Amino acid sequence: MGSYSYLNNAHPSYIENLYEQYKKDPDSVDEDWRRFFEGFAFAQTETTVTAGDETSRKEIDVLNLINAYRSRGHLFTKTNPVRTRRKYRPTLDIENFNLAETDLETVFQAGIDLGLGPAKLNDIINHLNETYCAAIGAEYMFIRIPERVRWLQQKMEQSRNKPQFSIEQKKRILHKLNQAVVFENFLHTRYVGQKRFSLQGGETLIPGLDAIIEKGVQLGASEFMIGMPHRGRLNVLANILEKSYEEIFSEFEGEEFAGAVFSGDVKYHLGYTSEISTNNGDVVKVGVAPNPSHLEAVDPVVVGMARAKIDHTYKGDASKIVPILIHGDAAIAGQGVVYEVIQMSLLDAYSTG
């Protein structure tokens, strides 16, 4: 404490009484206390804010605005094309951050934090809206590892959350999307009334899986093992694993299929394994595990199969096989087996990388 030794061990009520005494008669208290209370009174007086102070304060306000978009932008996304989303408070309006329309054309150094360099507030807001409040919601600020948070920020903010695809990549996406749609339309027309657990409404699963496999192979993966529900299974078998239409339609006709284990099993329970070629000509093994349940009981089975192959086939190299678990979004609420699989995935003995 040095020269402030008189503060040592002073009880708050004692200081309060001294202060009341000082206000009545400053000379009635010790000189050290008198100087202390003079400084306290000075700090409480309203001082004039300089232009530099005002600029610094507004820079902090803009940084707070940026952080709010990163933390809460997902609450204001345009993810529902049918109707407007429910309203959340407080909003991301600049008035909630001590900023005004008169600041929109002001250049702020805070733009550097977004990779924009010094930028007008208007440009900063447009950048944040495109990145965090468009058709993709990103909730990630809860992550406790700063390096991962920074990685996500850079990936999303540099591209405004809009990946730049080449013409060839766009053609590939359209091709896989067309495959998914045409397959569903044919089944709907040809097998009216039969259970098929259509992928309709989720056709982007097919180009999405295709992209995962293509990128995974580039990163060194040799095998993919998929666990999924009934919905979309036939489409995945046809357009990802390249199971022949002849086999799939034969099963619809009720014909006995090769490899049938249990009499009476149905097409949307079946698994399949095949070797497919990627765009670059690499051959990769892809499997879908059998799943007789609507629930996620297949999840630990797929993870266990992947871990067994990591240990025995790939000599401990987890980068060689990628388990993929696909289920409806309600499953990720962390209920039952999903929660348990997620928890155990963090343990060394069960991790699949």
Side-chain angles (χ1 to χ4, degrees), residues 34 39 61 76 85 147 151 159 162 202 220 252-253 270 281 289 308 313-314 319 325 333 335:
R34 187 164 62 249
D61 291 336
F76 305 94
R85 292 188 55 168
E147 293 80 7
W151 187 90
S159 66
K162 295 176 183 175
F252 265 97
E253 302 292 346
L270 303 177
T313 305
Y314 298 112
S319 68
L325 306 179
Q335 301 169 17

Side-chain angles (χ1 to χ4, degrees), residues 90-111:
T91 66
L92 297 175
D93 294 339
I94 58 175
E95 290 77 16
N96 292 327
F97 299 88
N98 301 315
L99 298 165
E101 288 191 15
T102 53
D103 298 314
L104 291 175
E105 294 300 313
T106 303
V107 174
F108 289 97
Q109 298 297 315

